[in-house]
Amino acid sequence: RLRYGESDWQAVVARLGIRTFVLKHTSAGERRFQQGRPNLRQHLYADPRYVLVDFDDVASVYTERAGLPAGMATLADFPLDPDSGQPRAEATSAAIEQALLAHAGAHPGSTRALEMLALRLSRAGRRAEATQVESEMTRRLAVAAVAGK
């Protein structure tokens, strides 16, 4: 019930005293099961009481905004949901691309931000740029394979 963000998800979180979430990204099977309904990941991303701390190829980390240590690095204004790829309503394409590039630069072992960027560029008809991003993804995956990750 909690994982799929059913209507009482907030009551369950409060009852269990959960303040931080480490959630694997939604699989294709889960997306089919949900039939377009938002799951816990999307609820947390949209809820101003929670903040995206970071994400990688496997999961996203969210925590309650209240009580965050001063100066703690977060992705509070990240313009794109790292699970669904859906942008915030106010996000511009330029801001999304800049955020994805910055995240990819800060996480050289991860490809998720690059994957989302390549998809956006491709959908916008910017195939040459998408191909460059895909090449970087391939390079990173090769490095990870050699390293045994």
Side-chain angles (χ1 to χ4, degrees):
R1 300 167 48 92
L2 181 58
R3 182 166 136 191
Y4 294 114
E6 293 185 13
S7 61
D8 65 343
W9 74 270
Q10 294 171 342
V12 174
V13 166
R15 182 172 47 81
L16 296 174
I18 301 171
R19 299 189 62 206
T20 300
F21 300 81
V22 178
L23 300 167
K24 73 172 186 63
H25 297 299
T26 307
S27 70
E30 287 174 312
R31 286 194 200 290
R32 284 190 300 276
F33 173 76
Q34 291 171 237
Q35 299 177 346
R37 293 182 307 268
N39 59 33
L40 181 60
R41 298 154 195 87
Q42 280 77 60
H43 287 304
L44 292 171
Y45 181 74
D47 192 323
R49 292 173 297 175
Y50 296 92
V51 63
L52 175 64
V53 176
D54 209 350
F55 68 94
D56 65 9
D57 293 351
V58 178
S60 294
V61 178
Y62 290 89
T63 194
E64 286 183 340
R65 188 179 299 269
L68 277 176
M72 181 177 165
T74 68
L75 299 174
D77 298 321
F78 203 74
L80 194 73
D81 176 359
D83 181 65
S84 70
Q86 293 299 310
R88 293 193 189 275
E90 70 279 3
T92 65
S93 290
I96 292 169
E97 289 175 24
Q98 181 180 18
L100 290 171
L101 283 170
H103 191 274
H107 298 76
S110 179
T111 61
R112 189 154 190 99
L114 292 174
E115 179 182 358
M116 290 188 290
L117 179 58
L119 184 60
R120 291 185 64 78
L121 293 170
S122 182
R123 286 181 179 162
R126 296 162 60 189
R127 191 68 199 134
E129 292 169 274
T131 299
Q132 288 177 330
V133 172
E134 289 165 354
S135 293
E136 174 60 14
M137 286 172 51
T138 301
R139 186 196 68 74
R140 289 182 181 198
L141 291 170
V143 167
V146 168
K149 293 182 180 178

